[in-house]
Amino acid sequence: MFIKNTWYVAAWDKEVSGDGLFSRTIIGTPILMYRDSNGQLVALEDRCCHRGAPLSVGRREGDCVRCLYHGLKFDATGACVEAPAQPRIPPQARVRKFPVVERHRWIWIWMGDPERADTALIPDTQWLDHPDWRSQDGYIHYDVNYLLIADNLLDFSHLPFVHPTTLGGSEDYAAVSPKVERLADGVRITRWTIDTAAPAFATKVKQWPGRVDRWNIYNFTLPGILLMDSGMAPTGTGAQDGQRVDAAEFRGCQALTPETETSTHYFFAHPHNFAIDRPEVTASIHQSVVAAFDEDRDIITAQQRSLSLAPDFKMVPLSIDAALSQFRWVVSRRLEEEQQQTSAIIPITPSREVA
């Protein structure tokens, strides 16, 4: 099951062009996205109401889409406006339309009740297009359940072991116990490692006089959004007290969007605010992140295969699992709330007169 009344990242803005059709499955529902003649985004269910053929294999006709199975034509509201050889169109001949918002280079979609689609709930990812920050766009497809990826992102103690030559750093990083705080819709994690070796990806793009003080401070919120303040500064220069002297700072933006129960879309970027006039620095940082995330995918995919062979396997919790447990509790609570709200809506059956 998936949370529905929340904003999911559906795509990078560049993925939905001005004249094409773009399809992506989100929480088990195929979605068709395109831009109308004014450049405004349209998001419809990618399934013709007639026989269920994908509209994404149809064709654009102005601001409308025609299904190329039996020729039904749908406008940007999802209504069928033309059915060949049938002058009268049934009012139920329509496809579902979804609220969709483009903000800071990410396209967000609301999969639940449209009346509850409050744009104020969209997380702030301003660093993705801020003039003082630089990054490259990232996307990875996983053949695993999104919660296994969330577990990985909620426990950075794996970094020295899974990413020893990329993001990891020395093993003393794994020995640090992070501070975990409960949020209304997730958790906040604060991890400081004082007087440690700079990780490999940082030494490629910046000269360090010696060891560094390193931080990772991030919120991980529903449905699977990670927004992180991370970086490092020469040790002893007061970074932990707020004095970021000669620091390398990053604002990681990552989003997990379930495709199905066993597959996930992973959107990410790692904006930095130093050497922003040197594209080779941005490219190096991005490549290091991509390499590390591929390493994550390898181990998590292997984990998924292992778990699929033992459905009753019980994981042994450790103290490092505090954030994982709390986030999963938040997910379970939201799912229960949505189920209760759905069951509270009792359909009214019209009374039938007896002749």
Side-chain angles (χ1 to χ4, degrees), residues 68-105:
L68 290 185
Y69 191 10
H70 297 96
L72 274 68
K73 182 178 177 180
F74 299 89
D75 67 14
T77 71
C80 180
V81 295
E82 184 177 312
Q86 184 168 326
R88 181 184 176 277
I89 301 173
Q92 67 269 26
R94 62 181 303 113
V95 295
R96 184 180 175 190
K97 179 180 174 66
F98 296 85
V100 63
V101 174
E102 187 173 1
R103 185 171 294 176
H104 298 306
R105 309 259 354 274

Side-chain angles (χ1 to χ4, degrees), residues 207-243:
Q207 296 295 318
W208 301 97
R211 294 168 71 83
V212 299
D213 294 341
R214 186 179 182 186
W215 67 90
N216 294 95
I217 304 168
Y218 60 101
N219 289 358
F220 196 93
T221 57
L222 297 175
I225 309 297
L226 184 153
L227 299 180
M228 178 168 59
D229 168 12
S230 67
M232 59 214 71
T235 192
T237 56
Q240 198 167 13
D241 298 322
Q243 301 176 40

Side-chain angles (χ1 to χ4, degrees), residues 5-66:
N5 290 313
T6 189
W7 291 101
Y8 287 97
V9 176
W12 285 96
D13 56 0
K14 66 181 182 183
E15 294 186 277
V16 184
S17 63
D19 56 359
L21 297 173
F22 180 81
S23 180
R24 178 162 279 156
T25 298
I26 297 174
I27 64 169
T29 302
I31 303 295
L32 168 70
M33 289 180 283
Y34 64 95
R35 296 182 186 274
D36 65 19
S37 54
N38 295 316
Q40 296 300 307
L41 285 166
V42 177
L44 304 175
E45 185 170 2
D46 190 15
R47 184 183 288 124
C48 180
C49 61
H50 177 224
R51 285 293 181 266
L55 295 176
S56 56
V57 299
R59 69 172 179 238
R60 286 284 300 274
E61 295 186 5
D63 288 347
C64 299
V65 178
R66 187 179 296 276

Side-chain angles (χ1 to χ4, degrees), residues 148 151 303 307 312-318 321 324 328:
L148 292 182
D151 289 348
Q303 178 192 21
L307 292 174
D312 298 327
F313 176 77
K314 301 296 183 183
M315 299 182 184
V316 177
L318 301 176
D321 298 333
L324 286 64
R328 288 203 177 212

Side-chain angles (χ1 to χ4, degrees), residues 58-325:
R59 69 172 179 238
R60 286 284 300 274
E61 295 186 5
D63 288 347
C64 299
V65 178
R66 187 179 296 276
C67 176
L68 290 185
Y69 191 10
H70 297 96
L72 274 68
K73 182 178 177 180
F74 299 89
D75 67 14
T77 71
C80 180
V81 295
E82 184 177 312
Q86 184 168 326
R88 181 184 176 277
I89 301 173
Q92 67 269 26
R94 62 181 303 113
V95 295
R96 184 180 175 190
K97 179 180 174 66
F98 296 85
V100 63
V101 174
E102 187 173 1
R103 185 171 294 176
H104 298 306
R105 309 259 354 274
W106 274 353
I107 294 173
W108 299 82
I109 190 168
W110 184 272
M111 300 298 293
D113 179 0
E115 297 298 321
R116 300 181 62 182
D118 182 359
T119 58
L121 299 176
I122 296 176
D124 183 8
T125 59
Q126 59 179 294
W127 305 279
L128 294 176
D129 58 2
H130 196 286
D132 295 337
W133 296 79
R134 293 289 184 276
S135 64
Q136 292 185 8
D137 307 345
Y139 170 84
I140 295 177
H141 183 270
Y142 269 82
D143 289 319
V144 305
N145 182 276
Y146 83 104
L147 286 175
L148 292 182
I149 311 172
D151 289 348
N152 174 272
L153 295 174
L154 286 160
D155 175 21
F156 280 3
S157 68
H158 75 273
L159 263 61
F161 306 103
V162 180
H163 315 297
T165 62
T166 52
L167 304 183
S170 56
E171 292 188 8
D172 60 341
Y173 183 84
V176 175
S177 296
K179 177 182 179 182
V180 179
E181 303 170 82
R182 174 75 59 81
L183 304 176
D185 58 349
V187 295
R188 180 174 177 81
I189 299 171
T190 303
R191 178 189 289 270
W192 281 91
T193 308
I194 305 301
D195 192 20
T196 188
F201 87 98
T203 60
K204 290 180 181 179
V205 297
K206 188 175 175 61
Q207 296 295 318
W208 301 97
R211 294 168 71 83
V212 299
D213 294 341
R214 186 179 182 186
W215 67 90
N216 294 95
I217 304 168
Y218 60 101
N219 289 358
F220 196 93
T221 57
L222 297 175
I225 309 297
L226 184 153
L227 299 180
M228 178 168 59
D229 168 12
S230 67
M232 59 214 71
T235 192
T237 56
Q240 198 167 13
D241 298 322
Q243 301 176 40
R244 298 184 176 181
V245 179
D246 195 25
E249 297 184 62
F250 306 91
R251 291 292 187 276
C253 299
Q254 302 176 37
L256 303 178
T257 298
E259 180 182 51
T260 67
E261 290 286 354
T262 56
S263 58
T264 305
H265 306 292
Y266 188 5
F267 304 90
F268 61 90
H270 208 55
H272 61 96
N273 69 346
F274 61 94
I276 63 174
D277 58 343
R278 296 174 57 194
E280 70 276 13
V281 169
T282 303
S284 176
I285 293 169
H286 179 74
Q287 186 52 48
S288 293
V289 170
V290 169
F293 288 178
D294 283 341
E295 292 167 342
D296 280 327
R297 180 168 55 179
D298 289 344
I299 187 65
I300 298 171
T301 301
Q303 178 192 21
Q304 174 84 64
R305 287 196 298 266
S306 174
L307 292 174
S308 67
L309 297 174
D312 298 327
F313 176 77
K314 301 296 183 183
M315 299 182 184
V316 177
L318 301 176
S319 60
I320 59 175
D321 298 333
L324 286 64
S325 300

